[in-house]
Amino acid sequence: MIVLQEKRVQVSPPLTRGPSAFIPENEVMQANGLDERTNLLVEEYSTSGRLDNITQVMSIHTQYLESFLRSQFYMLRMDGPLPLPYRHYIAIMAAARHQCSYLINMHVDEFLKTGGIAEWLNGLEYIPQRLKNLNEINKLLAHRPWLITKEHIQKLVKTGENNWSLPELVHAVVLLAHYHALASFVFGSGINPERDPDTSNGVRLIAVNNFCVCDLANDNNIENASLTSSNFGIADSLSELEALMERMKRLQEDKEDEEASQEEMDTRFEKEKKESLLVISGAFDDEIVSTDVSRYVEDPGFGYKDFARRGEDHLPTFRAQDYTWENHGFSLVNRLYSDIGHLLDEKFRMVYNLTYNTMATHEDVDTTTLRRALFNYVHCMYGIRYDDYDYGEVNQLLERSLKVYIKTVTCYPERTTKRMYDSYWRQFKHSEKVHVNLLLMEARMQAELLYALRAITRHLT
C-alpha cells in the first residue's frame, strides 16, 4: 500500500535477530516457548492480529501480559468516548514525544486501517484544532506532569466548537500516559523493528529516529556493546548479588528493631528526591529529532532535563496520601470512562505483586522490598512521596548504575543503551530485567495519571 509506505517513519534494520537487541533471541523463545496461552491472548486482544516484538518480550511474564493486552485492547477497540482513528493518532502523538518510531509506525498502520484521514499523517498542522489542543497536556504529561493544573483542564473542556468532554479527555489522558510509558518499555527492552514478510530482507522500510535503539547500543556499535559487561569479572557480579541480598536481609531486621521518626523519613525523601535530579542520564546534550518524527512533535526541546538543568532544584512534593490511585484516581477514571479503572487497577496490582520468589540463582527469596524500592524510586523522581515509606531503602537497594538506568528509561527512554542495560545486576536473568522494565513502565504510567486526574478532580470541585 503506497500511502502506508510513504507515511511510515524510517528506521534502520536491526543489528540483531529476534524481538530484542538486548536479549538473545533464544532466551526470549526459551522463556515463552510456543506458549499456547500467549497465542490465545494475541488472537483475542491484539489489534494488529500478529505476535509483535513487544508481546514476545512481555510474554516472558504471561500473567502480566494478559492484564496488559486486555487494558490496551479496551483503550483502542472497545466502546469508549473517542472515535477509533483519534485513539491511534493520540498514540502517535504520545510516542513521538520520545521519538519512538516503533510505536509511531505501529499506530500509523492502525490509524489508516481504522479509517483515519491519511493527510493527518503529514504532521500536526494537518490535524483538527481539537486534537492540536492536546499538545500541551501531552508535553507536560510526558516530561513534567507536576506542572499540570486545573487551568489546563479548564482550557480543554471550556465550551466552544473544539472543546473536549470530560469522558473524552480522560480517555485521551489514559492513552497518552499508556504510550509514554510503553515507549519506556520499548527502549528499555531494546525492542527491534518489526520484520515484514512483504520486503526482501524481512525488515520494513521504516527506519531511524536519530537515536534508534540499535544505534545507541554502544556508541553505534552493538558488537562492542555485548562485550562491555565482560570487563567485570564473574566474581565481582556474584559478590554484588550477595551484597544486595545481605542488604535486603538487614533492612528486614532493622525494620523489626526500630522505626525511623517521621522527621527522619521526611529528610530521607527530600534527600533522595534531590539526588535523583543529579543522576546524569546518557551523554547526549541536544538530541536531534528526525524530521519523520518531528512532524508529530510540538516544542521538541521541552523535556525533563530542562528542569534539572536550570538549577530549579525544587520539585514540588505530591503527598501520595492526599491523592491516591486506590481512593481517588481509580473511582474518577471509572466514573468518566467505565471499566478502564478496573483494568488499569488489575494491571498495576499484577506488576507490583508479580514474583517468582527468585533472585538470579537464588530461590525462596522475598523480593517485596526490592519491587517497592523500584516503584517508589520512579515516583520519587516525579516528586510523589509515600509517608509510610522509608526512602533510605532506595539508597540501600538500588546501586548507582541501576539508578542511571531507571532515570534514563523513565525520563529519557530514547537514550537507553545496551551498555546501561548490561551494566546493572549482572548476575540476574533477562526475565528479571524485563520484570524491572514492566515495573518502571507501570510506575511511570501511574505517576502521570495521578497528576492528570488530580487536576481533573480540582477542576470538578
Side-chain angles (χ1 to χ4, degrees):
M1 189 181 179
I2 296 167
V3 172
L4 203 52
Q5 278 303 341
E6 282 172 1
K7 300 302 179 191
R8 286 184 179 144
V9 176
Q10 292 295 302
V11 239
S12 355
L15 300 181
T16 59
R17 289 182 58 78
S20 163
F22 296 175
I23 305 166
E25 185 179 18
N26 61 341
E27 294 223 18
V28 178
M29 299 314 163
Q30 212 176 333
N32 56 37
L34 289 167
D35 190 299
E36 213 176 305
R37 183 87 194 106
T38 301
N39 291 330
L40 285 171
L41 289 173
V42 169
E43 275 173 41
E44 197 170 346
Y45 296 118
S46 166
T47 52
S48 65
R50 64 188 286 181
L51 179 61
D52 59 49
N53 290 344
I54 292 179
T55 309
Q56 284 192 61
V57 173
M58 276 190 192
S59 68
I60 292 172
H61 301 286
T62 318
Q63 271 178 294
Y64 169 81
L65 177 67
E66 180 165 4
S67 294
F68 173 85
L69 288 177
R70 281 178 64 202
S71 63
Q72 183 172 263
F73 186 77
Y74 190 89
M75 286 173 219
L76 293 174
R77 284 290 181 275
M78 300 297 277
D79 284 350
L82 294 174
L84 297 188
Y86 260 58
R87 302 180 194 192
H88 292 291
Y89 202 89
I90 289 167
I92 292 169
M93 289 169 73
R97 286 306 323 172
H98 289 304
Q99 305 169 43
C100 187
S101 50
Y102 178 94
L103 289 174
I104 292 171
N105 288 318
M106 180 182 273
H107 289 281
V108 161
D109 291 8
E110 298 278 318
F111 173 76
L112 291 170
K113 269 193 228 159
T114 52
I117 297 164
E119 191 190 11
W120 292 11
L121 298 173
N122 291 329
L124 297 177
E125 62 270 36
Y126 295 88
I127 62 176
Q129 186 59 44
R130 194 156 168 266
L131 265 177
K132 272 186 206 163
N133 291 348
L134 281 183
N135 276 325
E136 183 72 6
I137 203 162
N138 180 23
K139 177 177 89 171
L140 294 176
L141 263 181
H143 308 295
R144 300 183 227 170
W146 54 88
L147 295 179
I148 293 173
T149 63
K150 68 176 182 184
E151 283 71 31
H152 291 110
I153 307 302
Q154 278 157 358
K155 209 165 148 189
L156 287 163
V157 300
K158 70 174 191 291
T159 49
E161 56 178 323
N162 297 314
N163 74 313
W164 289 76
S165 71
L166 273 174
E168 287 172 331
L169 183 57
V170 167
H171 193 171
V173 159
V174 168
L175 284 163
L176 290 170
H178 176 78
Y179 283 102
H180 295 151
L182 190 53
S184 284
F185 183 82
V186 167
F187 285 113
S189 305
I191 300 293
N192 271 329
E194 292 296 328
R195 293 186 163 268
D196 193 334
D198 301 337
T199 60
S200 56
N201 65 355
V203 178
R204 276 190 190 177
L205 205 80
I206 40 170
V208 130
N209 60 36
N210 295 52
F211 297 113
C212 164
V213 78
C214 20
D215 289 344
L216 270 183
N218 181 28
D219 306 328
N220 299 340
N221 185 335
I222 204 158
E223 301 308 320
N224 290 349
S226 58
L227 302 175
T228 53
S229 56
S230 62
N231 300 340
F232 309 102
I234 287 177
D236 286 351
S237 49
L238 273 172
S239 60
E240 178 186 77
L241 171 65
E242 300 303 334
L244 175 59
M245 292 192 66
E246 186 51 45
R247 286 196 298 275
M248 286 168 70
K249 192 175 155 202
R250 205 169 53 238
L251 277 173
Q252 203 50 51
E253 288 164 359
D254 290 351
K255 245 186 214 159
E256 288 157 17
D257 288 350
E258 56 174 308
E259 287 280 311
S261 69
Q262 196 54 55
E263 199 178 339
E264 177 60 23
M265 302 264 269
D266 293 355
T267 309
R268 287 175 190 175
F269 171 76
E270 289 303 329
K271 180 171 179 279
E272 202 52 59
K273 183 176 76 171
K274 200 161 184 172
E275 279 180 9
S276 78
L277 303 179
L278 305 173
V279 171
I280 302 300
S281 148
F284 307 106
D285 236 12
D286 293 298
E287 287 92 339
I288 306 152
V289 183
S290 79
T291 47
D292 275 347
V293 174
S294 66
R295 69 179 96 147
Y296 301 120
V297 181
E298 184 188 76
D299 193 3
F302 185 92
Y304 184 100
K305 62 186 175 201
D306 298 354
F307 161 70
R309 197 185 270 176
R310 290 180 184 161
E312 304 164 22
D313 65 347
H314 182 62
L315 166 56
T317 294
F318 177 133
R319 289 181 70 252
Q321 277 66 13
D322 296 341
Y323 196 92
T324 66
W325 164 255
E326 293 79 8
N327 299 334
H328 307 91
F330 168 78
S331 54
L332 178 68
V333 166
N334 254 9
R335 181 155 58 93
L336 293 169
Y337 176 23
S338 58
D339 288 334
I340 194 65
H342 290 293
L343 292 164
L344 293 175
D345 192 56
E346 184 196 325
K347 185 162 63 92
F348 293 147
R349 286 175 195 276
M350 172 63 71
V351 80
Y352 195 79
N353 297 319
L354 184 67
T355 182
Y356 305 94
N357 296 110
T358 59
M359 263 177 72
T361 49
H362 296 264
E363 294 186 355
D364 299 320
V365 184
D366 181 353
T367 58
T368 311
T369 52
L370 200 48
R371 282 178 279 127
R372 195 171 181 198
L374 288 162
F375 199 91
N376 287 0
Y377 185 60
V378 171
H379 281 197
C380 175
M381 290 189 300
Y382 286 107
I384 298 171
R385 176 186 165 202
Y386 295 88
D387 283 353
D388 60 348
Y389 182 67
D390 178 359
Y391 287 84
E393 291 191 14
V394 164
N395 245 353
Q396 292 281 315
L397 298 175
L398 310 183
E399 30 125 1
R400 182 152 188 85
S401 61
L402 177 51
K403 282 183 172 177
V404 168
Y405 177 78
I406 294 170
K407 172 93 175 257
T408 308
V409 168
T410 308
C411 304
Y412 323 88
E414 59 279 11
R415 296 182 186 178
T416 311
T417 66
K418 186 172 188 298
R419 185 189 288 176
M420 286 178 195
Y421 174 89
D422 287 339
S423 71
Y424 83 92
W425 286 3
R426 292 184 296 274
Q427 279 298 304
F428 282 66
K429 298 190 277 282
H430 287 290
S431 61
E432 290 168 316
K433 291 191 170 192
V434 170
H435 187 183
V436 168
N437 287 338
L438 295 175
L439 271 163
L440 303 184
M441 168 172 78
E442 294 298 355
R444 175 181 180 180
M445 183 180 184
Q446 194 181 93
E448 289 191 25
L449 285 177
L450 283 172
Y451 278 110
L453 297 173
R454 181 179 69 168
I456 292 171
T457 299
R458 285 175 173 173
H459 159 73
L460 289 169
T461 49

